[in-house]
């Protein structure tokens, strides 16, 4: 009989893709916000806002089937490209690849020492205690915070999003024949979880702060760095902002409603202008188990978030993760956490003013009026794009004065109209439908129920918003929409134009007059992703894009010191595109707009995360997440043993530092 993860002693293993699809489904948006429909006609009438020459460009850059160039042909034709590197070949194999003339050095691997006295990694004898002093699992966001203004010495901050038990733990998973719908199939089956294994998982989540330094052109960790820190599911944190102390976040263990332990499923993230580390809590719902009665007052909002998801077994050993025992604990997750890495004893703050949803990332920018604007995507099919504008202003001369800026301000959710306008709608108690009669008694209620509030406002249902990156040089903002294979034809709209959108797209917001706090701006689609040589896919890369240059499933992204866009992907391997994930450089301006080039690719099974530059953009930090997680992978038989390639070492997620041979700017 098939068994579900999180409910039984022996659990049928589900692939990463299957588990994610589940996580993305359970909180599905059932609001009746209009999808605009009549897509074809409206999409073309929308061109009027693009204006004359751009409108022509938009039409002519639609690639005809089989029009893809080889890399050599493209190189010969793209002399005007702002990128100057030789594209690598797309493909799939056991290791990583970087453009010629660059070095990609392994900087930190799962299990590596974070402190001088951390235990050495022994995968056969791993303990939670050791793990809590070592680099965690599944590095996602990577940020660099310079020390003393140096581009060659600073703090690396890294999110550890989740764990892959089947390739982490020896003698735990095995391949068995499982009969499903009368069909016999080989599947990976997990063994029985113990509290010790759960404790290791908890210690492998969270984040790492570690001092790093470039010595003789190579980056290395500084293990006796005084700022080094591991943040885990057991790190004490504080709820701050409008929700702190509210009745709905009080638990038996914390009657103050202010003291929380840990952060989970931290995906993309951000670093602020004042050098704090922002950790977004994404699929927190999957860590909660148990059941809640449908008439429980928290049932509706938790269901909208997919909680309890039961993808992990933590609730078996820890009551706080069991919603039937303490549903308010789940209200203490789904926030953005701000960490002050310059004070290793500081208590990280969950900034409730920024709202509660599946925060993919949280990149911020100082606006021209000094207010700080933070963008965050809610990564679920049909969920929303948000931004938060602080009330106070950034003070470049007083770091301490900036530390609580995110406790006060206005949260907005985006409505993308078909005429190319984006309206940022304030999520403020008492305004519009956000009243007590509609179940929102205070701003705390509004924020805990952010998704329900955004539903009520009629926000635009997007194709899984991931990382969102503001560009200080251009006033534009890039929104990664990773995919939504469930969108139906009648649900297609101008901002999400493809039904069964398997490959995702990138929306570009042009904030009015470069004012990131603007509440009415313009938007356009930068790219519809996927293989442009397959007409049905409807991809829109420029004709200068090679067969290596297209990609699907944009996820994280970064802007370099020159204001150029780099995008990393998640899922190309799973969709059998003949290419792994990687990082692509994308032209956003001028005639080359929509041209994409492959710079780096990951080993089989991995997803590409990071990406992040040091201030001079001569180092590119990339994170290789869940390598080896392909096919029937187990600890004993991973799809690759990257990066050590040793029989006695498991496959390990790792952060890579990319530099140009002889020095110089990346790309
Ligand atoms: Fe953790 Fe939305 O990817
Ligand atoms: Ca992501
Ligand atoms: Ca980013
Ligand atoms: Ca993703």
């Amino acid at each position: 009989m098939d068994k579900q993860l999180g409910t039984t002693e022996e659990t049928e293993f589900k692939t990463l893709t299957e588990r994610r699809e589940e996580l993305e489904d359970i909180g599905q948006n059932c609001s009746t916000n209009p999808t605009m429909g009549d897509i074809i006609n409206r999409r073309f009438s929308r061109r009027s806002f693009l204006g004359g020459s751009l409108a022509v460009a938009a039409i002519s850059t639609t690639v005809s089937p089989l029009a893809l160039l080889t890399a050599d042909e493209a190189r010969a034709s793209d002399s005007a490209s702002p990128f100057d590197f030789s594209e690598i070949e797309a493909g799939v194999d056991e290791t990583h690849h970087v453009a010629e003339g660059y070095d990609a050095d392994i900087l930190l691997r799962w299990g590596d020492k974070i402190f001088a006295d951390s235990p050495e990694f022994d995968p056969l004898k791993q303990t939670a205690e050791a793990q809590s002093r070592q680099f965690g699992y599944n590095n996602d966001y990577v940020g660099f915070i310079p020390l003393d203004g140096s581009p060659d010495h600073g703090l690396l901050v890294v999110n550890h999003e989740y764990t892959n038990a089947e390739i982490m733990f020896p003698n735990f998973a095995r391949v068995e024949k499982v009969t499903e719908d009368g069909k016999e199939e080989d599947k990976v089956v997990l063994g029985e979880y113990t509290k010790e294994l759960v404790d290791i998982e908890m210690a492998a989540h969270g984040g790492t702060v570690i001092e790093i330094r470039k010595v003789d052109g190579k980056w290395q960790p500084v293990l006796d760095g005084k700022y080094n820190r591991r943040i885990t599911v057991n790190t004490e944190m504080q709820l701050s902002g409008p929700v702190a102390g509210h009745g709905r976040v009080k638990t038996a263990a914390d009657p103050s409603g202010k003291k929380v332990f840990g952060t989970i499923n931290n995906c993309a993230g951000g670093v602020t202008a004042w050098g704090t580390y922002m950790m977004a809590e994404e699929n927190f719902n999957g860590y909660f188990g148990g059941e809640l009665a449908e008439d429980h007052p928290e049932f509706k909002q938790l269901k909208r978030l997919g909680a309890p998801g039961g993808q992990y077994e933590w609730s078996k050993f820890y009551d706080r993760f069991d919603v039937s025992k303490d549903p308010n604990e789940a209200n203490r997750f789904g926030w953005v956490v701000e960490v002050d890495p310059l004070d290793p004893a500081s208590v990280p703050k969950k900034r409730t003013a920024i709202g509660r949803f599946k925060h993919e990332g949280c990149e911020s920018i100082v606006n021209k009026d000094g207010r700080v604007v933070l963008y965050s995507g809610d990564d679920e099919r049909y969920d929303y794009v948000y931004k938060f504008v602080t009330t106070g202003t950034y003070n470049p001369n007083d770091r301490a004065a900036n530390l609580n800026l995110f406790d006060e301000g206005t949260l907005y959710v985006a409505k993308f109209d078909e005429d190319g306008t984006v309206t940022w709608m304030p999520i403020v108690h008492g305004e519009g439908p956000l009243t007590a009669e509609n179940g929102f008694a205070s701003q705390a209620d509004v924020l805990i129920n952010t998704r329900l509030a955004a539903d009520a406002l009629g926000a635009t249902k997007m194709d899984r918003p991931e990382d969102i990156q503001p560009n200080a040089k251009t006033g534009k903002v890039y929104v990664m929409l990773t995919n939504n294979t469930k969108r139906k034809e009648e649900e297609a709209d101008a901002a999400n134009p493809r039904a069964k959108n398997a490959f995702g797209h990138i929306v570009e917001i042009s904030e009015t007059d470069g004012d990131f706090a603007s509440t009415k701006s313009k938007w356009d689609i930068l790219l519809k992703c996927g293989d442009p040589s397959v007409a049905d896919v409807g991809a829109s890369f420029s004709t200068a894009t090679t067969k290596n240059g297209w990609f699907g499933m944009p996820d994280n992204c970064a802007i370099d010191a020159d204001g150029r866009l780099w995008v990393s992907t998640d899922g190309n391997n799973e969709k059998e595109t003949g290419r792994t994930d990687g990082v692509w450089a994308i032209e956003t301006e001028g005639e080359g707009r929509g041209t994409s080039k492959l710079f780096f690719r990951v080993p089989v099974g991995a997803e590409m995360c990071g990406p992040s530059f040091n201030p001079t953009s001569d180092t590119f930090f990339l994170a290789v997440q869940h390598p080896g997680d392909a096919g029937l992978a187990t600890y004993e038989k991973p799809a690759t043993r990257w990066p050590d390639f040793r029989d006695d070492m498991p496959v390990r997620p790792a952060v890579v530092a990319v530099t140009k041979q002889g020095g110089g700017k990346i790309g």
Side-chain angles (χ1 to χ4, degrees), residues 54-177:
L54 262 179
V56 174
I59 291 162
S60 65
T61 55
T62 301
V63 177
S64 59
L66 304 172
L68 295 181
L69 305 178
T70 66
D72 284 344
E73 285 165 348
R75 265 198 294 282
S77 71
D78 75 349
S79 54
S81 168
F83 295 102
D84 179 24
F85 67 89
S86 298
E87 180 171 56
I88 63 168
E89 294 282 325
V92 182
D93 63 25
E94 290 189 14
T95 194
H96 65 272
H97 299 266
V98 68
E100 197 184 329
Y102 292 85
D103 289 326
D105 301 312
I106 308 296
L107 181 60
L108 284 159
R109 302 160 296 185
W110 166 48
D112 278 349
K113 293 164 78 151
I114 295 302
F115 306 94
D117 63 352
S118 300
E120 292 290 343
F121 181 54
D122 181 347
L124 300 178
K125 293 187 187 142
Q126 182 63 318
T127 64
E129 204 189 345
Q131 179 64 78
S132 66
R133 311 270 301 160
Q134 299 165 338
F135 197 60
Y137 207 79
N138 275 346
N139 28 229
D140 196 298
Y141 175 75
V142 179
F144 180 82
I145 298 169
L147 287 172
D148 306 320
S150 170
D152 296 333
H153 179 209
L155 301 179
L156 200 71
V157 295
V158 183
N159 281 350
H160 301 295
E161 187 184 15
Y162 68 104
T163 47
N164 288 75
E166 72 284 2
I167 49 178
M168 278 178 82
F169 300 136
N171 304 311
F172 187 59
R174 59 189 184 278
V175 176
E176 279 192 359
K177 295 233 178 281

Side-chain angles (χ1 to χ4, degrees), residues 20 24 140 161-162 265-268 282-283 358-360 379 464-467 482 555-556 570 607 625:
R20 283 191 168 167
E24 287 143 18
D140 196 298
E161 187 184 15
Y162 68 104
N265 211 269
N266 307 92
C267 199
E282 195 192 14
N283 292 308
K358 294 183 181 179
H359 285 277
E360 163 70 23
D379 183 6
R464 294 189 52 202
E466 300 252 27
D467 201 6
T482 202
D555 193 332
N556 292 15
D570 168 18
E607 156 185 355
Q625 197 188 71

